[in-house]
Amino acid sequence: MRGQMMDYQLTLPTLMRRAETYFGDKEVVSRLADGGFHRRNYRELMRRSRQLAVALAGLGLERGDRVGTLCWNHAQHMECYFGIPCGGFVLHTLNLRLHPDDLAYIASHAGDRAVVVDRMLVPLLEQFVGETAIEHVFVVGQLRGAAGRCVRRRLA
């Protein structure tokens, strides 16, 4: 007798496949800073999440390495929520409302090796990134009518 237990693990890759299979055309809508909207469907969001995981691994990050996020609540941040853990890394959100000294301490204490930052928050990141061991910075930004671009910078 099988009982009521699931016969598969409830993991993020499973949730990603389910979202693509059953809700692939459903939209994820984000509000832009200028008041507009950005739309992306789940199929595209999951594809970009996988790309992020591959990009992080391509930088030489290893399983268990921490990747910080310093972002507003938008589609690119949601991509991080799927892509970073699915790549085997630890997602570490940084509270953008904290003082730069506190953010430096938190990112250092966590051992963040990379960070994904919203384009609008780059000035905040620049105030503390020099005091951390962060090696890689991904800058994301939302553009009306576009998917946005992810730019990678290697820090000295």
Side-chain angles (χ1 to χ4, degrees):
M1 183 169 159
R2 294 201 54 169
Q4 294 185 11
M5 294 298 292
M6 296 180 346
D7 58 352
Y8 58 89
Q9 293 182 358
L10 190 57
T11 59
L12 280 178
T14 303
L15 294 176
M16 288 176 74
R17 282 191 298 276
R18 180 175 173 80
E20 286 176 309
T21 303
Y22 297 108
F23 309 106
D25 294 327
K26 297 290 183 186
E27 288 186 327
V28 175
V29 181
S30 299
R31 188 74 179 227
L32 300 174
D34 67 2
F37 294 96
H38 177 265
R39 298 173 186 277
R40 178 172 295 143
N41 65 35
Y42 275 99
R43 187 172 294 110
E44 177 69 9
L45 190 136
M46 297 308 157
R47 183 187 66 75
R48 289 174 54 93
S49 296
R50 285 189 195 89
Q51 283 180 325
L52 175 61
V54 170
L56 290 169
L59 293 174
L61 271 66
E62 300 175 7
R63 283 186 78 75
D65 282 344
R66 276 84 167 164
V67 179
T69 61
L70 187 63
C71 294
W72 292 103
N73 186 15
H74 49 58
Q76 285 99 340
H77 204 192
M78 189 169 176
E79 292 165 6
C80 293
Y81 269 79
F82 283 98
I84 293 170
C86 287
F89 313 109
V90 177
L91 172 68
H92 178 232
T93 55
L94 295 167
N95 186 339
L96 55 91
R97 291 173 178 86
L98 293 176
H99 189 276
D101 293 340
D102 296 329
L103 289 168
Y105 172 79
I106 292 166
S108 295
H109 185 36
D112 290 346
R113 288 194 56 203
V115 67
V116 178
V117 61
D118 193 297
R119 182 184 323 275
M120 294 174 60
L121 298 172
V122 168
L124 175 59
L125 177 70
E126 289 174 342
Q127 291 180 44
F128 71 88
V129 72
E131 302 170 35
T132 69
I134 293 173
E135 303 169 32
H136 307 282
V137 174
F138 282 81
V139 179
V140 296
Q142 294 193 344
L143 306 172
R144 184 184 293 273
R149 299 199 57 152
C150 184
V151 179
R152 180 178 61 89
R153 293 190 296 173
R154 176 142 175 95
L155 300 176

mmCIF file of all heavy atoms in Angstrom, residues 28-40 72-76 118-120 140-149:
data_model
loop_
_atom_site.group_PDB
_atom_site.id
_atom_site.type_symbol
_atom_site.label_atom_id
_atom_site.label_comp_id
_atom_site.label_asym_id
_atom_site.label_seq_id
_atom_site.Cartn_x
_atom_site.Cartn_y
_atom_site.Cartn_z
ATOM 1 N N VAL A 28 4.483 36.714 -14.623
ATOM 2 C CA VAL A 28 5.003 37.290 -13.389
ATOM 3 C C VAL A 28 5.112 38.774 -13.698
ATOM 4 O O VAL A 28 5.808 39.177 -14.634
ATOM 5 C CB VAL A 28 6.391 36.707 -13.035
ATOM 6 C CG1 VAL A 28 6.969 37.408 -11.826
ATOM 7 C CG2 VAL A 28 6.303 35.212 -12.829
ATOM 8 N N VAL A 29 4.399 39.601 -12.943
ATOM 9 C CA VAL A 29 4.350 41.032 -13.224
ATOM 10 C C VAL A 29 5.084 41.771 -12.112
ATOM 11 O O VAL A 29 4.832 41.558 -10.930
ATOM 12 C CB VAL A 29 2.885 41.522 -13.319
ATOM 13 C CG1 VAL A 29 2.841 43.010 -13.625
ATOM 14 C CG2 VAL A 29 2.125 40.721 -14.369
ATOM 15 N N SER A 30 6.015 42.633 -12.510
ATOM 16 C CA SER A 30 6.772 43.447 -11.558
ATOM 17 C C SER A 30 6.470 44.914 -11.810
ATOM 18 O O SER A 30 6.280 45.331 -12.952
ATOM 19 C CB SER A 30 8.279 43.235 -11.730
ATOM 20 O OG SER A 30 8.635 41.908 -11.506
ATOM 21 N N ARG A 31 6.470 45.681 -10.754
ATOM 22 C CA ARG A 31 6.276 47.131 -10.873
ATOM 23 C C ARG A 31 7.646 47.775 -11.029
ATOM 24 O O ARG A 31 8.563 47.496 -10.267
ATOM 25 C CB ARG A 31 5.587 47.653 -9.616
ATOM 26 C CG ARG A 31 5.158 49.084 -9.671
ATOM 27 C CD ARG A 31 3.952 49.200 -10.563
ATOM 28 N NE ARG A 31 3.470 50.548 -10.647
ATOM 29 C CZ ARG A 31 2.203 50.863 -10.524
ATOM 30 N NH1 ARG A 31 1.305 49.945 -10.283
ATOM 31 N NH2 ARG A 31 1.832 52.104 -10.650
ATOM 32 N N LEU A 32 7.795 48.640 -12.014
ATOM 33 C CA LEU A 32 9.045 49.336 -12.258
ATOM 34 C C LEU A 32 9.124 50.603 -11.414
ATOM 35 O O LEU A 32 8.104 51.125 -10.960
ATOM 36 C CB LEU A 32 9.169 49.694 -13.738
ATOM 37 C CG LEU A 32 9.143 48.530 -14.713
ATOM 38 C CD1 LEU A 32 9.117 49.029 -16.145
ATOM 39 C CD2 LEU A 32 10.325 47.622 -14.481
ATOM 40 N N ALA A 33 10.329 51.103 -11.237
ATOM 41 C CA ALA A 33 10.534 52.309 -10.437
ATOM 42 C C ALA A 33 9.808 53.514 -11.036
ATOM 43 O O ALA A 33 9.378 54.402 -10.302
ATOM 44 C CB ALA A 33 12.021 52.597 -10.315
ATOM 45 N N ASP A 34 9.647 53.522 -12.358
ATOM 46 C CA ASP A 34 8.967 54.657 -12.998
ATOM 47 C C ASP A 34 7.448 54.518 -12.981
ATOM 48 O O ASP A 34 6.741 55.321 -13.571
ATOM 49 C CB ASP A 34 9.470 54.852 -14.429
ATOM 50 C CG ASP A 34 9.085 53.711 -15.365
ATOM 51 O OD1 ASP A 34 8.382 52.774 -14.927
ATOM 52 O OD2 ASP A 34 9.490 53.762 -16.536
ATOM 53 N N GLY A 35 6.942 53.470 -12.332
ATOM 54 C CA GLY A 35 5.500 53.269 -12.222
ATOM 55 C C GLY A 35 4.933 52.325 -13.260
ATOM 56 O O GLY A 35 3.773 51.944 -13.169
ATOM 57 N N GLY A 36 5.737 51.947 -14.243
ATOM 58 C CA GLY A 36 5.281 51.021 -15.268
ATOM 59 C C GLY A 36 5.322 49.581 -14.773
ATOM 60 O O GLY A 36 5.585 49.314 -13.599
ATOM 61 N N PHE A 37 5.079 48.666 -15.699
ATOM 62 C CA PHE A 37 5.067 47.245 -15.361
ATOM 63 C C PHE A 37 6.023 46.482 -16.257
ATOM 64 O O PHE A 37 6.244 46.849 -17.409
ATOM 65 C CB PHE A 37 3.654 46.663 -15.538
ATOM 66 C CG PHE A 37 2.663 47.218 -14.572
ATOM 67 C CD1 PHE A 37 1.851 48.280 -14.929
ATOM 68 C CD2 PHE A 37 2.552 46.684 -13.304
ATOM 69 C CE1 PHE A 37 0.932 48.800 -14.035
ATOM 70 C CE2 PHE A 37 1.637 47.200 -12.399
ATOM 71 C CZ PHE A 37 0.824 48.258 -12.766
ATOM 72 N N HIS A 38 6.587 45.422 -15.715
ATOM 73 C CA HIS A 38 7.443 44.507 -16.473
ATOM 74 C C HIS A 38 6.791 43.137 -16.397
ATOM 75 O O HIS A 38 6.424 42.684 -15.317
ATOM 76 C CB HIS A 38 8.847 44.463 -15.868
ATOM 77 C CG HIS A 38 9.746 43.505 -16.559
ATOM 78 N ND1 HIS A 38 9.931 42.221 -16.119
ATOM 79 C CD2 HIS A 38 10.496 43.646 -17.669
ATOM 80 C CE1 HIS A 38 10.766 41.611 -16.925
ATOM 81 N NE2 HIS A 38 11.125 42.450 -17.872
ATOM 82 N N ARG A 39 6.635 42.485 -17.543
ATOM 83 C CA ARG A 39 5.964 41.184 -17.586
ATOM 84 C C ARG A 39 6.897 40.130 -18.149
ATOM 85 O O ARG A 39 7.602 40.380 -19.118
ATOM 86 C CB ARG A 39 4.707 41.273 -18.445
ATOM 87 C CG ARG A 39 3.689 42.242 -17.904
ATOM 88 C CD ARG A 39 2.533 42.443 -18.875
ATOM 89 N NE ARG A 39 1.643 43.468 -18.415
ATOM 90 C CZ ARG A 39 0.667 43.289 -17.531
ATOM 91 N NH1 ARG A 39 0.456 42.098 -17.010
ATOM 92 N NH2 ARG A 39 -0.102 44.290 -17.169
ATOM 93 N N ARG A 40 6.860 38.966 -17.538
ATOM 94 C CA ARG A 40 7.636 37.827 -18.002
ATOM 95 C C ARG A 40 6.853 36.587 -17.609
ATOM 96 O O ARG A 40 6.295 36.527 -16.523
ATOM 97 C CB ARG A 40 9.005 37.833 -17.320
ATOM 98 C CG ARG A 40 9.871 36.668 -17.708
ATOM 99 C CD ARG A 40 11.275 36.789 -17.180
ATOM 100 N NE ARG A 40 11.910 37.937 -17.808
ATOM 101 C CZ ARG A 40 12.744 38.754 -17.191
ATOM 102 N NH1 ARG A 40 13.053 38.548 -15.932
ATOM 103 N NH2 ARG A 40 13.281 39.772 -17.803
ATOM 104 N N TRP A 72 15.462 45.026 -5.091
ATOM 105 C CA TRP A 72 14.064 45.262 -4.812
ATOM 106 C C TRP A 72 13.286 44.009 -5.208
ATOM 107 O O TRP A 72 13.840 43.080 -5.782
ATOM 108 C CB TRP A 72 13.562 46.480 -5.591
ATOM 109 C CG TRP A 72 14.165 47.765 -5.120
ATOM 110 C CD1 TRP A 72 15.153 48.468 -5.734
ATOM 111 C CD2 TRP A 72 13.847 48.488 -3.929
ATOM 112 N NE1 TRP A 72 15.465 49.583 -4.999
ATOM 113 C CE2 TRP A 72 14.681 49.623 -3.891
ATOM 114 C CE3 TRP A 72 12.937 48.285 -2.891
ATOM 115 C CZ2 TRP A 72 14.623 50.560 -2.863
ATOM 116 C CZ3 TRP A 72 12.883 49.221 -1.866
ATOM 117 C CH2 TRP A 72 13.720 50.332 -1.857
ATOM 118 N N ASN A 73 12.017 44.012 -4.937
ATOM 119 C CA ASN A 73 11.155 42.862 -5.216
ATOM 120 C C ASN A 73 10.683 42.913 -6.666
ATOM 121 O O ASN A 73 9.715 43.595 -6.981
ATOM 122 C CB ASN A 73 9.962 42.889 -4.248
ATOM 123 C CG ASN A 73 9.111 41.668 -4.361
ATOM 124 O OD1 ASN A 73 9.512 40.674 -4.940
ATOM 125 N ND2 ASN A 73 7.916 41.734 -3.822
ATOM 126 N N HIS A 74 11.400 42.203 -7.551
ATOM 127 C CA HIS A 74 11.039 42.184 -8.964
ATOM 128 C C HIS A 74 11.419 40.844 -9.576
ATOM 129 O O HIS A 74 11.940 39.964 -8.885
ATOM 130 C CB HIS A 74 11.652 43.351 -9.727
ATOM 131 C CG HIS A 74 13.121 43.555 -9.497
ATOM 132 N ND1 HIS A 74 14.075 42.593 -9.741
ATOM 133 C CD2 HIS A 74 13.785 44.632 -9.026
ATOM 134 C CE1 HIS A 74 15.262 43.070 -9.456
ATOM 135 N NE2 HIS A 74 15.111 44.299 -9.013
ATOM 136 N N ALA A 75 11.157 40.694 -10.857
ATOM 137 C CA ALA A 75 11.343 39.405 -11.530
ATOM 138 C C ALA A 75 12.792 38.918 -11.460
ATOM 139 O O ALA A 75 13.037 37.721 -11.271
ATOM 140 C CB ALA A 75 10.891 39.491 -12.989
ATOM 141 N N GLN A 76 13.768 39.817 -11.601
ATOM 142 C CA GLN A 76 15.161 39.381 -11.527
ATOM 143 C C GLN A 76 15.496 38.822 -10.145
ATOM 144 O O GLN A 76 16.284 37.882 -10.028
ATOM 145 C CB GLN A 76 16.127 40.516 -11.874
ATOM 146 C CG GLN A 76 16.169 40.813 -13.346
ATOM 147 C CD GLN A 76 15.300 42.005 -13.712
ATOM 148 O OE1 GLN A 76 14.388 42.397 -12.965
ATOM 149 N NE2 GLN A 76 15.546 42.574 -14.871
ATOM 150 N N ASP A 118 20.591 45.321 -7.635
ATOM 151 C CA ASP A 118 19.726 46.125 -8.478
ATOM 152 C C ASP A 118 20.504 47.365 -8.916
ATOM 153 O O ASP A 118 21.229 47.961 -8.125
ATOM 154 C CB ASP A 118 18.489 46.541 -7.676
ATOM 155 C CG ASP A 118 17.405 47.112 -8.540
ATOM 156 O OD1 ASP A 118 17.650 48.161 -9.167
ATOM 157 O OD2 ASP A 118 16.322 46.513 -8.589
ATOM 158 N N ARG A 119 20.346 47.748 -10.180
ATOM 159 C CA ARG A 119 21.066 48.903 -10.724
ATOM 160 C C ARG A 119 20.872 50.145 -9.843
ATOM 161 O O ARG A 119 21.801 50.917 -9.631
ATOM 162 C CB ARG A 119 20.571 49.185 -12.138
ATOM 163 C CG ARG A 119 21.263 50.330 -12.839
ATOM 164 C CD ARG A 119 20.673 50.636 -14.208
ATOM 165 N NE ARG A 119 20.246 49.501 -14.969
ATOM 166 C CZ ARG A 119 21.036 48.745 -15.751
ATOM 167 N NH1 ARG A 119 22.305 49.029 -15.836
ATOM 168 N NH2 ARG A 119 20.538 47.729 -16.422
ATOM 169 N N MET A 120 19.683 50.328 -9.295
ATOM 170 C CA MET A 120 19.401 51.491 -8.453
ATOM 171 C C MET A 120 20.153 51.446 -7.131
ATOM 172 O O MET A 120 20.320 52.470 -6.479
ATOM 173 C CB MET A 120 17.897 51.573 -8.163
ATOM 174 C CG MET A 120 17.049 51.841 -9.370
ATOM 175 S SD MET A 120 15.282 51.764 -8.991
ATOM 176 C CE MET A 120 15.160 53.040 -7.751
ATOM 177 N N VAL A 140 21.698 44.021 -12.102
ATOM 178 C CA VAL A 140 20.464 43.798 -12.847
ATOM 179 C C VAL A 140 19.644 45.074 -12.798
ATOM 180 O O VAL A 140 19.746 45.852 -11.859
ATOM 181 C CB VAL A 140 19.634 42.614 -12.286
ATOM 182 C CG1 VAL A 140 20.404 41.319 -12.434
ATOM 183 C CG2 VAL A 140 19.224 42.840 -10.853
ATOM 184 N N GLY A 141 18.864 45.269 -13.820
ATOM 185 C CA GLY A 141 18.022 46.447 -13.851
ATOM 186 C C GLY A 141 16.834 46.200 -14.730
ATOM 187 O O GLY A 141 16.900 45.405 -15.670
ATOM 188 N N GLN A 142 15.767 46.860 -14.437
ATOM 189 C CA GLN A 142 14.557 46.688 -15.217
ATOM 190 C C GLN A 142 14.406 47.834 -16.183
ATOM 191 O O GLN A 142 14.535 48.993 -15.810
ATOM 192 C CB GLN A 142 13.349 46.611 -14.299
ATOM 193 C CG GLN A 142 13.380 45.387 -13.445
ATOM 194 C CD GLN A 142 12.054 45.162 -12.793
ATOM 195 O OE1 GLN A 142 11.224 46.032 -12.742
ATOM 196 N NE2 GLN A 142 11.845 43.979 -12.306
ATOM 197 N N LEU A 143 14.150 47.478 -17.419
ATOM 198 C CA LEU A 143 13.924 48.461 -18.462
ATOM 199 C C LEU A 143 12.525 48.245 -19.004
ATOM 200 O O LEU A 143 12.133 47.116 -19.263
ATOM 201 C CB LEU A 143 14.947 48.279 -19.583
ATOM 202 C CG LEU A 143 16.412 48.290 -19.143
ATOM 203 C CD1 LEU A 143 17.299 47.906 -20.312
ATOM 204 C CD2 LEU A 143 16.790 49.647 -18.608
ATOM 205 N N ARG A 144 11.782 49.303 -19.185
ATOM 206 C CA ARG A 144 10.419 49.176 -19.708
ATOM 207 C C ARG A 144 10.461 48.513 -21.083
ATOM 208 O O ARG A 144 11.203 48.931 -21.961
ATOM 209 C CB ARG A 144 9.761 50.530 -19.804
ATOM 210 C CG ARG A 144 8.311 50.438 -20.242
ATOM 211 C CD ARG A 144 7.696 51.799 -20.429
ATOM 212 N NE ARG A 144 7.570 52.523 -19.197
ATOM 213 C CZ ARG A 144 6.525 52.425 -18.375
ATOM 214 N NH1 ARG A 144 5.550 51.611 -18.663
ATOM 215 N NH2 ARG A 144 6.478 53.127 -17.274
ATOM 216 N N GLY A 145 9.690 47.433 -21.234
ATOM 217 C CA GLY A 145 9.592 46.763 -22.514
ATOM 218 C C GLY A 145 10.764 45.864 -22.853
ATOM 219 O O GLY A 145 10.832 45.316 -23.924
ATOM 220 N N ALA A 146 11.716 45.728 -21.960
ATOM 221 C CA ALA A 146 12.879 44.869 -22.217
ATOM 222 C C ALA A 146 13.075 43.916 -21.058
ATOM 223 O O ALA A 146 12.556 44.107 -19.972
ATOM 224 C CB ALA A 146 14.135 45.728 -22.398
ATOM 225 N N ALA A 147 13.827 42.895 -21.299
ATOM 226 C CA ALA A 147 14.057 41.889 -20.265
ATOM 227 C C ALA A 147 15.077 42.358 -19.240
ATOM 228 O O ALA A 147 15.226 41.763 -18.199
ATOM 229 C CB ALA A 147 14.538 40.582 -20.903
ATOM 230 N N GLY A 148 15.780 43.433 -19.515
ATOM 231 C CA GLY A 148 16.840 43.876 -18.621
ATOM 232 C C GLY A 148 18.136 43.171 -18.981
ATOM 233 O O GLY A 148 18.138 42.169 -19.676
ATOM 234 N N ARG A 149 19.228 43.708 -18.556
ATOM 235 C CA ARG A 149 20.521 43.118 -18.872
ATOM 236 C C ARG A 149 21.245 42.816 -17.587
ATOM 237 O O ARG A 149 21.139 43.551 -16.628
ATOM 238 C CB ARG A 149 21.345 44.080 -19.707
ATOM 239 C CG ARG A 149 20.650 44.395 -21.038
ATOM 240 C CD ARG A 149 21.602 44.932 -21.980
ATOM 241 N NE ARG A 149 22.678 43.960 -22.114
ATOM 242 C CZ ARG A 149 23.407 43.831 -23.189
ATOM 243 N NH1 ARG A 149 23.185 44.569 -24.203
ATOM 244 N NH2 ARG A 149 24.368 42.961 -23.240
#
